Amino acid sequence: MPQPDLVIFDCDGVLVDSEIIAARVEAELLTLAGYEISAEELAETYAGLTFKDIMIRVEEKSSIPFQVSLIDRAEELVDRKLRSDVRAIDGVREAVAAVTVPRCVCSNSRSERIEFMLEKVHLLPYFTDRIFSAMETPTGKTKPAPDVFLFAAEKLSANPANTFVIEDSVHGVHGARAAGMRVIGFTGAAHSYPGHADALTEAGAETVIRRWAELKSVIAALSEWSEDA
């Protein structure tokens, strides 16, 4: 059976149920700053982006200027909530352990945040020395840019065309597809919404799973089939 060179996991909303926690904090800060938005709306529209990029997009949409200090405030408050509240998504440990080919994490979060979240939920040993933060790549470009995915593939000697990425956000799917990788969408986190699976498919995911128990068989099935076959 063909095997992928590499399996890449996004972190927030894929390994850990952190997107909704961050969305609640960030939505409250934006609302207090003059742009009223719910956590659910923020998660649906902007999941997968850094808070800095969310602020830029909201500023363009609303013409409301935000103070730059809001970024540091959001980072501080989100970190605090994640340290106390973040949980692993049900079934993720077994799913990650079942991936016997090289695996890594590619995320828009800072590596420090990724590491403390994965340590808290006992996933860090599965990704030792294989955590890639988009902000800490040579270009510093975050998803939906493909840079973090390509950087990880280069470091781990993987062919992008034979790499699978598990992503929960449209922006992440766009980045992985731009890197020439194959994408499996994931909708099993608390921030998932009606139409989430369709949005990921339209963005370029080959298939979408809701439960981690599906991952092993899906990778096996997709490995047998490729657009080039």
Side-chain angles (χ1 to χ4, degrees):
M1 180 182 294
Q3 292 286 314
D5 291 353
L6 176 65
V7 175
I8 297 175
F9 293 85
D10 178 39
C11 183
D12 298 286
V14 171
L15 297 175
V16 293
D17 213 350
S18 53
E19 283 285 5
I20 193 63
I21 295 172
R24 287 169 182 152
V25 172
E26 293 165 358
E28 182 176 0
L29 287 173
L30 289 174
T31 298
L32 289 172
Y35 184 78
E36 188 170 346
I37 187 171
S38 68
E40 292 74 20
E41 183 185 354
L42 188 145
E44 180 176 344
T45 308
Y46 300 112
L49 296 177
T50 64
F51 185 62
K52 177 182 178 181
D53 287 337
I54 292 172
M55 279 179 47
I56 290 170
R57 295 189 182 207
V58 170
E59 279 186 336
E60 291 172 350
K61 179 179 180 180
S62 66
S63 299
I64 297 173
F66 297 114
Q67 294 184 352
V68 176
S69 60
L70 205 59
I71 298 171
D72 289 338
R73 182 63 175 155
E75 289 291 299
E76 176 190 348
L77 292 175
V78 170
D79 275 355
R80 188 183 305 168
K81 289 294 289 182
L82 290 173
R83 287 185 184 278
S84 62
D85 296 354
V86 76
R87 299 289 183 270
I89 292 174
D90 288 346
V92 69
R93 291 187 196 91
E94 296 81 0
V96 170
V99 175
T100 56
V101 300
R103 54 175 114 80
C104 72
V105 175
C106 287
S107 173
N108 271 354
S109 289
R110 307 181 325 275
S111 58
E112 178 195 6
R113 177 181 288 176
I114 301 166
E115 288 172 7
F116 80 62
M117 288 193 297
L118 295 186
E119 183 174 27
K120 180 176 172 62
V121 302
H122 309 295
L123 284 173
L124 190 56
Y126 293 105
F127 299 104
T128 302
D129 299 324
R130 294 193 172 191
I131 291 173
F132 299 93
S133 166
M135 290 185 283
E136 296 161 24
T137 59
T139 65
K141 292 182 179 179
T142 53
K143 305 174 191 177
D147 300 42
V148 67
F149 297 114
L150 293 171
F151 182 72
E154 180 183 359
K155 287 293 182 183
L156 299 175
S157 301
N159 176 4
N162 197 33
T163 295
F164 284 100
V165 180
I166 297 93
E167 272 285 353
D168 69 301
S169 74
V170 167
H171 304 292
V173 174
H174 284 157
R177 291 295 295 152
M181 297 177 178
R182 304 178 69 182
V183 186
I184 298 168
F186 182 74
T187 61
H191 71 286
S192 191
Y193 54 89
H196 191 180
D198 289 340
L200 296 179
T201 301
E202 289 168 9
E206 292 184 44
T207 191
V208 178
I209 62 174
R210 187 176 61 83
R211 297 180 306 114
W212 276 119
E214 303 170 56
L215 181 67
K216 185 176 181 180
S217 61
V218 165
I219 289 178
L222 291 179
S223 294
E224 290 283 355
W225 176 88
S226 73
E227 293 175 353
D228 299 327

